[in-house]
Amino acid sequence: MSNPARRVAVIGAGPAGAIATEALVREQAFEIIRVFERQSAIGGTWIHTPQLPAGIPSLSDLISGNADLAVPIPEQLPAVTPVSEAVNGYQYRFSDSAIHEHLHSNIIPSIMSYTEEPFPDKLSDRAVAEYGPKAPYRHHTVIRDWIETIFTRNGHEKLLELNTTVEKAEKINGEWTLTLRKAVNSRNYWWRESFDALVIASGHYNVPWLPNIPGLLEYDAKFPGAIIHSKHFRTGEKFKGKKVVVLGGSVSSHEIIHEVLDFAEAPVYASIRREPLPAFGWAPFQHPKISIKKGITSFDAETGRILLSDGSYLDGIDHVIFGTGYTFSFPFLPIVQERIRCADRRLPNVFQHTWDIEDPTLTFVGMLGGGFTFRAYEWQAVAVARFLAGRAKQLPSIPEQLEWERKRVAERKGGKDYYAIAPDYTEFFEFLRSIAGEPAPGTTGRKLPEFDPKWLDIWTAMPLVKIKHWERKRKAAEEEERAPKAKL
């Protein structure tokens, strides 16, 4: 970067924002580092919000791409305005979290945590009951506390502005101008601040994505509350005695179907359009109380019938839970938001999921998936911090970056396949490490180690932990079915 940044804003105080802030501070190159978080606490999507009634204000707007819109900004700033549902409503702004009561991490701690910040050896009763005293998964409260510790252990919380939403970010006269809104005592306080660079770490688990299946909107209108996205799943008890379909073959569907098994009417239907995740295969769905069905092709609002791709159908269903993932959304970045609307669930014009190709002072941390989260965020954060400090290796030319994107779209299209770093883990980590280089002499900059092949071994073997757990559950359920029933 020809002109090193001196003022940097980080947007988001979840796991990506925590490590981005840590990397920026440790670089010892920036005069101003500010972190803006719209929630009232540190943790991002790992903040549990059970007190907020879950729901989508308009399924039609969501499916058509007209949800999570930018809000009107007062003409004169600074300004004070009353709190309103359109500006402050958590459902309209998609600011509630996707955490459910029993959610745990699902990656082995030694490859999920940051290299200098290991997870605490604190296990929930449920983790011990399901996986034993060496359970590899951490309850969501442990993860949230871990994120907060990254901020507080070195005083980084002093850089943080909570309850503060970035409502607009625009480049004006060579600098990023942020329009900010802080909610205090039923008032919105608006003002602006300027920066040389931005780190967008606001996550991509905010706005649900649902496929536009024929009849879905009419079905949702006829049967309010029947259609649920996995973001709004909170506890299995809600589905006691209900007939439930879980749609999707990915991780969220695995978790939810096993959360509802002990409560819902048997069988619980698993609607899977294609093949399940290769790493897990059909193991999550092999259970006497689960019936595997083909993908849903249409909903009949008149009869309540759900039609499947093999010509069969389901009647009398109470709830359909969509484990279909999320879409990117940055209403405060108008140009980026418009690019997203024209793309297929991906973040366009961003090189290696990290640098805006047209303007690399706009950077992203945590907008990826497919494995090694959160650790991949650390490599992004250090590379970004060093780049913004003017100490990193030069990025490839713009034509080369555009060619990288063109090839990726041609090979992977959009959605999860596009932003998944699998199976090219080594290449991704090592590219970012090559850009970051070594810390500048005399600074406390973070050092990125080489990608360790042992991490890949751990990652490859990791699904076996879950698979063995599901096998134990299946065998226990089968034995229970075979056991003689006591006479009343």
Side-chain angles (χ1 to χ4, degrees):
M1 196 170 149
S2 56
N3 295 309
R6 290 291 173 258
R7 303 165 299 167
V8 182
V10 179
I11 301 175
I19 194 62
T21 304
E22 164 74 4
L24 289 165
V25 172
R26 292 272 293 274
E27 202 62 27
Q28 296 178 301
F30 307 103
E31 296 170 5
I32 295 174
I33 300 170
R34 293 269 276 154
V35 186
F36 301 106
E37 168 56 55
R38 64 179 176 175
Q39 304 255 29
S40 61
I42 295 167
T45 196
W46 291 86
I47 295 175
H48 192 204
T49 56
Q51 75 281 6
L52 302 178
I56 296 171
S58 170
L59 188 59
S60 175
D61 285 344
L62 187 66
I63 289 176
S64 65
N66 292 315
D68 199 29
L69 301 178
V71 300
I73 295 172
E75 292 184 5
Q76 299 293 328
L77 297 183
V80 180
T81 61
V83 164
S84 69
E85 187 66 16
V87 174
N88 301 82
Y90 68 92
Q91 289 188 356
Y92 287 98
R93 304 306 303 274
F94 296 91
S95 58
D96 52 340
S97 80
I99 296 294
H100 62 78
E101 181 181 358
H102 298 298
L103 187 130
H104 287 67
S105 61
N106 58 9
I107 298 177
I108 304 295
S110 62
I111 60 171
M112 183 179 180
S113 65
Y114 301 137
T115 55
E116 298 181 22
E117 293 87 7
F119 287 163
D121 290 326
K122 183 178 180 181
L123 301 178
S124 69
D125 292 341
R126 179 162 177 162
V128 173
E130 293 186 348
Y131 298 98
K134 294 185 179 180
Y137 307 123
R138 303 293 185 265
H139 190 255
H140 62 79
T141 55
V142 175
I143 302 298
R144 198 212 71 83
D145 290 345
W146 173 80
I147 296 167
E148 184 172 43
T149 299
I150 296 174
F151 271 102
T152 59
R153 64 175 185 162
N154 292 318
H156 300 345
E157 76 277 9
K158 297 174 183 177
L159 310 174
L160 185 60
E161 197 79 50
L162 295 172
N163 292 309
T164 302
T165 303
V166 178
E167 296 292 9
K168 192 171 186 179
E170 55 189 335
K171 201 75 176 282
I172 300 175
N173 297 325
E175 60 182 15
W176 286 101
T177 299
L178 301 189
T179 299
L180 302 158
R181 178 184 58 80
K182 190 180 188 75
V184 180
N185 297 329
S186 299
R187 294 286 185 271
N188 287 317
Y189 294 83
W190 304 74
W191 76 100
R192 289 193 174 103
E193 295 184 25
S194 295
F195 299 90
D196 302 313
L198 304 182
V199 181
I200 311 301
S202 51
H204 58 101
Y205 297 107
N206 299 312
V207 180
W209 182 83
L210 290 86
N212 189 9
I213 300 173
L216 174 60
L217 296 179
E218 294 80 4
Y219 187 94
D220 179 60
K222 180 72 176 292
F223 305 103
I227 301 299
I228 302 170
H229 188 271
S230 60
K231 177 180 181 179
H232 298 129
F233 177 84
R234 293 294 178 262
T235 178
E237 285 89 340
K238 173 183 176 180
F239 302 92
K240 187 173 183 179
K242 303 296 184 180
K243 292 183 71 173
V244 178
V245 178
V246 178
L247 189 152
S250 194
V251 174
S252 60
S253 298
H254 301 172
E255 292 181 352
I256 289 171
I257 204 164
H258 282 273
E259 287 290 329
V260 303
L261 272 185
D262 293 336
F263 303 99
E265 177 182 317
V268 176
Y269 298 101
S271 174
I272 301 174
R273 186 162 57 108
R274 296 194 182 99
E275 294 293 313
L277 287 177
F280 299 102
W282 292 102
F285 309 105
Q286 291 172 335
H287 189 283
K289 291 185 178 180
I290 296 175
S291 177
I292 300 172
K293 296 293 183 180
K294 294 293 185 179
I296 297 174
T297 55
S298 65
F299 292 85
D300 188 332
E302 292 301 316
T303 64
R305 177 166 288 179
I306 298 173
L307 284 80
L308 309 175
S309 63
D310 61 357
S312 63
Y313 55 84
L314 297 171
D315 287 330
I317 297 299
D318 296 300
H319 296 286
V320 182
I321 305 174
F322 281 70
T324 47
Y326 298 80
T327 187
F328 291 95
S329 185
F330 306 99
F332 56 91
L333 281 167
I335 295 176
V336 174
Q337 191 77 333
E338 185 57 32
R339 292 177 194 157
I340 291 170
R341 284 176 57 86
C342 300
D344 178 15
R345 293 176 63 205
R346 67 183 184 89
L347 184 53
N349 209 55
V350 175
F351 178 59
Q352 293 286 357
H353 317 290
T354 308
W355 289 275
D356 186 273
I357 294 174
E358 293 179 6
D359 185 351
T361 65
L362 175 60
T363 66
F364 298 84
V365 174
M367 308 301 169
L368 46 78
F372 287 96
T373 53
F374 307 132
R375 184 153 296 182
Y377 305 170
E378 179 181 356
W379 265 244
Q380 287 184 297
V382 174
V384 162
R386 208 147 291 153
F387 174 82
L388 296 178
R391 297 166 175 166
K393 177 183 174 183
Q394 188 173 355
L395 294 175
S397 67
I398 289 179
E400 289 175 293
Q401 295 181 46
L402 291 171
E403 179 63 11
W404 174 87
E405 181 181 27
R406 187 197 67 77
K407 286 183 176 179
R408 197 166 186 86
V409 171
E411 293 170 2
R412 304 196 179 201
K413 311 305 181 201
K416 287 184 178 180
D417 289 342
Y418 182 88
Y419 61 81
I421 60 174
D424 307 316
Y425 302 117
T426 303
E427 291 84 349
F428 181 74
F429 276 74
E430 285 301 291
F431 172 78
L432 291 173
R433 193 172 74 90
S434 72
I435 293 295
E438 296 295 315
T443 72
T444 58
R446 291 177 72 105
K447 180 179 175 65
L448 294 176
E450 291 184 39
F451 185 86
D452 190 337
K454 292 179 181 178
W455 299 346
L456 198 54
D457 294 339
I458 295 170
W459 173 261
T460 304
M462 188 174 64
L464 290 175
V465 179
K466 287 278 189 182
I467 290 171
K468 289 179 179 178
H469 167 62
W470 292 320
E471 287 177 348
R472 291 192 296 270
K473 286 189 70 174
R474 173 179 58 80
K475 290 177 181 177
E478 289 171 345
E479 290 175 3
E480 183 180 350
E481 285 192 339
R482 288 194 296 266
K485 304 296 182 183
K487 293 183 179 180
L488 296 176

